[in-house]
Amino acid sequence: SALTVAAVLSTPEQSSPPITDAASTQAWRYLSPDAVAGIGYFKMRHCSTCHNLVEGPPKNGPTLGLAASKKPEAWKITHFKNSSEAVSAEDAPEMTSIELRVLSTFLQRGAPEEMTILLETPAEMITAAQVYATNGCSGCHKVNGSGQDTGPALNGLINRRSREWVEEHFVDPQRLSRGTSMPPYHFSPSDQKLLVDYLFSLPER
């Protein structure tokens, strides 16, 4: 709602700031990773060819950010897979089942103020949230109240861990967190940097 977004935008800064001053003032930090990743998949699939998210020039399809989609997930996923008539297959790469689910969940939101925030989210943070989403991190961790409780919540991680610790934990979680059920992850250097940047931008809760 508008009140929720206003509260997000007026939230005071934490004592330990995120990586950059620009990141510390962005309302996207308070949204779920699936929401941030979802806008990336919306763009990747060129959904804007037929749909606006917020007000804009008329298009063939409905404006999707004005109200939550009432279509069932199965319908939407089939639609995503069959929407290649709007753009070439080369321009709209195949999406995994996780990516399709995240895009479907994204279109359930239907909050114009939130969509406006997401459209202004830095591209590198969208990519980082996609790394988070496609690797199933929400299956064990919560960010901004979204996800599961198997592992620790990741808000305020910058106040608890160093970058080196987080990076080493990806590679060998058992060594640093004995008994954890987390498997090792071997990200590319660029994905790892973006993911840690994203996690360190999250506010304390």
Side-chain angles (χ1 to χ4, degrees), residues 113-135:
E113 300 89 353
E114 183 176 305
M115 295 298 180
T116 299
I117 291 170
L118 288 168
L119 287 168
E120 297 172 353
T121 300
E124 62 272 18
M125 292 297 99
I126 292 174
T127 300
Q130 289 175 315
V131 173
Y132 183 96
T134 57
N135 283 279

Side-chain angles (χ1 to χ4, degrees), residues 35-109:
V36 180
I39 188 68
Y41 297 131
F42 181 90
K43 293 177 178 180
M44 184 178 81
R45 196 62 190 174
H46 298 286
C47 300
S48 60
T49 301
C50 297
H51 302 280
N52 288 316
L53 281 176
V54 292
E55 296 297 337
K59 294 184 178 180
N60 292 334
T63 300
L64 298 176
L66 299 182
S69 170
K70 296 181 180 179
K71 299 289 187 181
E73 182 173 279
W75 185 96
K76 285 184 288 185
I77 288 176
T78 298
H79 178 70
F80 302 152
K81 290 179 177 179
N82 294 336
S83 61
S84 58
E85 66 270 13
V87 290
S88 73
E90 182 177 329
D91 290 333
E94 290 296 321
M95 298 176 67
T96 67
S97 58
I98 292 177
E99 292 169 342
L100 291 167
R101 178 191 58 78
V102 170
L103 179 55
S104 174
T105 301
F106 168 72
L107 295 176
Q108 282 298 124
R109 309 183 77 81

Side-chain angles (χ1 to χ4, degrees), residues 26 173 176:
Q26 296 298 313
L176 296 179

Side-chain angles (χ1 to χ4, degrees), residues 81-200:
K81 290 179 177 179
N82 294 336
S83 61
S84 58
E85 66 270 13
V87 290
S88 73
E90 182 177 329
D91 290 333
E94 290 296 321
M95 298 176 67
T96 67
S97 58
I98 292 177
E99 292 169 342
L100 291 167
R101 178 191 58 78
V102 170
L103 179 55
S104 174
T105 301
F106 168 72
L107 295 176
Q108 282 298 124
R109 309 183 77 81
E113 300 89 353
E114 183 176 305
M115 295 298 180
T116 299
I117 291 170
L118 288 168
L119 287 168
E120 297 172 353
T121 300
E124 62 272 18
M125 292 297 99
I126 292 174
T127 300
Q130 289 175 315
V131 173
Y132 183 96
T134 57
N135 283 279
C137 301
S138 62
C140 292
H141 298 282
K142 277 190 174 178
V143 165
N144 294 328
S146 175
Q148 301 300 315
D149 292 320
T150 304
L154 297 177
N155 282 87
L157 184 63
I158 192 173
N159 299 322
R160 306 192 302 273
R161 300 295 185 188
S162 68
R163 176 179 289 271
E164 292 73 21
W165 189 96
V166 174
E167 292 176 347
E168 290 178 16
H169 196 268
F170 288 147
V171 176
D172 192 358
Q174 281 288 343
R175 184 173 65 83
L176 296 179
S177 299
R178 191 170 300 278
T180 183
S181 60
M182 178 173 167
Y185 288 90
H186 300 281
F187 301 110
S188 69
S190 59
D191 281 355
Q192 180 167 278
K193 180 185 183 305
L194 286 175
L195 181 56
V196 179
D197 285 353
Y198 172 71
L199 295 175
F200 277 9

